[in-house]
């Protein structure tokens, strides 16, 4: 695989590209939150209703080489997006994708999925989520709760994928394992660490592999409330 810092296309982590679903929570009993909702709320989901703008830069660092990154500004209320990657700049509305370069929206869905996966558990209503069970996590070998979110075999940019999501007693995500096409073997495992609070929304800034020489991370993060 080419290093991810070389080009706009190479920065795309295709296994995280999911179709964008209507951002409304799964229905639950009034007196009880689902596991997905508990995880989302632990990361500040109650504040999402007030979010006007999300800005961040997605990049991957390998060893001592720093990735150049893709920068995004997203206005979720009208679903408009601005992207800058190197010399390329694109502004578009996700309500009209006909004139948008295919890789741009695919990259946006990918990068936003990494940034806001606790909320995607609630937003992605077409996916199925397993019951939680206590297991040993894949990287740090901690005893954590785990759920698996599995996407349908059709629709979206990369259908059929599954993610094993490990979370602690406070419902904060600590690791995940991606399994392409719901394969029994892991395709990639990463940590969720360096959590920071952005106007009440908690985001893991660093996502490292077990060898420590690869870090998918976010910079220039800001969340603007109305």
């Amino acid at each position: 695989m080419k290093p991810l810092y070389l080009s706009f296309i190479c920065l795309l982590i295709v296994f995280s590209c999911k179709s964008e679903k209507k951002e409304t929570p799964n229905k639950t009993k009034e007196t009880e939150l689902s596991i997905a909702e508990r995880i989302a709320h632990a990361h500040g989901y109650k504040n999402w209703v007030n979010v006007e703008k999300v800005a961040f830069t997605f990049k991957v660092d390998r060893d001592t080489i720093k990735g150049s990154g893709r920068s995004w500004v997203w206005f979720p209320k009208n679903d408009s997006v601005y992207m800058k990657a190197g010399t390329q700049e694109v502004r578009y509305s996700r309500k009209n994708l006909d004139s948008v370069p295919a890789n741009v929206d695919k990259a946006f869905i990918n990068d936003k999925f990494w940034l806001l996966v606790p909320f995607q558990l609630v937003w992605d209503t077409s996916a199925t989520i397993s019951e939680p069970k206590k297991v040993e996590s894949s990287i740090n070998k901690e005893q954590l709760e785990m759920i698996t979110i599995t996407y349908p075999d059709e629709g979206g940019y990369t259908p059929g994928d599954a993610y094993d999501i490990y979370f602690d007693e406070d419902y904060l995500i600590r690791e995940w394992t991606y399994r392409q096409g719901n394969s029994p073997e892991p395709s990639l495992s990463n940590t969720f660490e360096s959590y920071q609070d952005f106007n009440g929304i908690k985001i893991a800034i660093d996502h490292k592999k077990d060898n420590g020489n690869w870090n998918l991370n976010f910079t220039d993060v800001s969340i603007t409330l109305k």
Side-chain angles (χ1 to χ4, degrees):
M1 180 182 291
K2 294 180 180 179
L4 298 182
Y5 54 84
L6 288 180
S7 68
F8 169 78
I9 295 176
C10 290
L11 271 169
L12 181 61
I13 311 298
V14 294
F15 48 78
S16 295
C17 295
K18 297 300 164 195
S19 61
E20 189 69 3
K21 303 299 180 183
K22 184 178 180 181
E23 293 169 1
T24 55
N26 295 321
K27 293 182 179 179
T28 58
K29 297 179 181 179
E30 291 183 1
T31 58
E32 184 179 353
L33 294 177
S34 67
I35 288 296
E37 288 175 319
R38 289 178 186 272
I39 293 172
H41 281 281
H43 293 80
Y45 187 61
K46 69 178 182 180
N47 297 303
W48 184 258
V49 68
N50 296 316
V51 172
E52 292 282 353
K53 181 175 75 171
V54 179
F56 63 97
T57 296
F58 168 102
K59 63 190 185 75
V60 177
D61 300 332
R62 292 171 177 265
D63 298 315
T64 59
I65 301 173
K66 302 297 182 181
S68 58
R70 282 191 295 260
S71 295
W72 300 97
V73 179
W74 177 38
F75 297 90
K77 293 191 183 301
N78 63 12
D79 215 4
S80 61
V81 178
Y82 166 76
M83 183 277 295
K84 179 175 174 57
T87 60
Q88 185 178 20
E89 294 186 50
V90 180
R91 288 180 172 84
Y92 69 101
S93 169
R94 298 205 67 258
K95 297 175 182 178
N96 181 13
L97 297 177
D98 292 342
S99 60
V100 180
N103 280 336
V104 172
D105 191 61
K106 188 174 183 179
F108 172 69
I109 296 303
N110 173 82
D111 298 0
K112 179 176 69 69
F113 189 86
W114 278 89
L115 185 80
L116 297 174
V117 66
F119 300 168
Q120 298 290 159
L121 295 176
V122 176
W123 292 339
D124 292 346
T125 55
S126 67
T128 59
I129 296 177
S130 70
E131 292 296 319
K133 59 181 178 180
K134 181 155 283 189
V135 298
E136 183 178 82
S137 67
S138 57
I139 294 179
N140 291 324
K141 309 304 180 185
E142 297 178 278
Q143 288 296 311
L144 296 172
E145 295 287 328
M146 186 194 80
I147 58 172
T148 297
I149 180 169
T150 306
Y151 286 86
D153 292 333
E154 296 181 357
Y157 291 121
T158 54
D161 291 345
Y163 299 81
D164 301 321
I165 295 176
Y166 303 87
F167 58 96
D168 63 21
E169 60 185 8
D170 295 318
Y171 296 94
L172 287 179
I173 298 176
R174 295 302 179 185
E175 299 181 25
W176 74 359
T177 291
Y178 158 69
R179 294 183 290 110
Q180 185 177 17
N182 202 11
S183 166
E185 297 301 321
S187 303
L188 181 69
S189 296
N190 294 96
T191 62
F192 279 60
E193 53 187 281
S194 305
Y195 271 97
Q196 294 183 26
D197 189 298
F198 300 92
N199 277 328
I201 292 177
K202 296 178 182 178
I203 293 175
I205 298 300
D206 293 308
H207 302 273
K208 299 176 182 178
K209 291 183 180 180
D210 56 0
N211 61 15
N213 296 325
W214 188 97
N215 182 19
L216 187 153
N217 59 97
F218 297 99
T219 61
D220 308 315
V221 179
S222 66
I223 294 180
T224 304
L225 306 183
K226 64 180 180 181

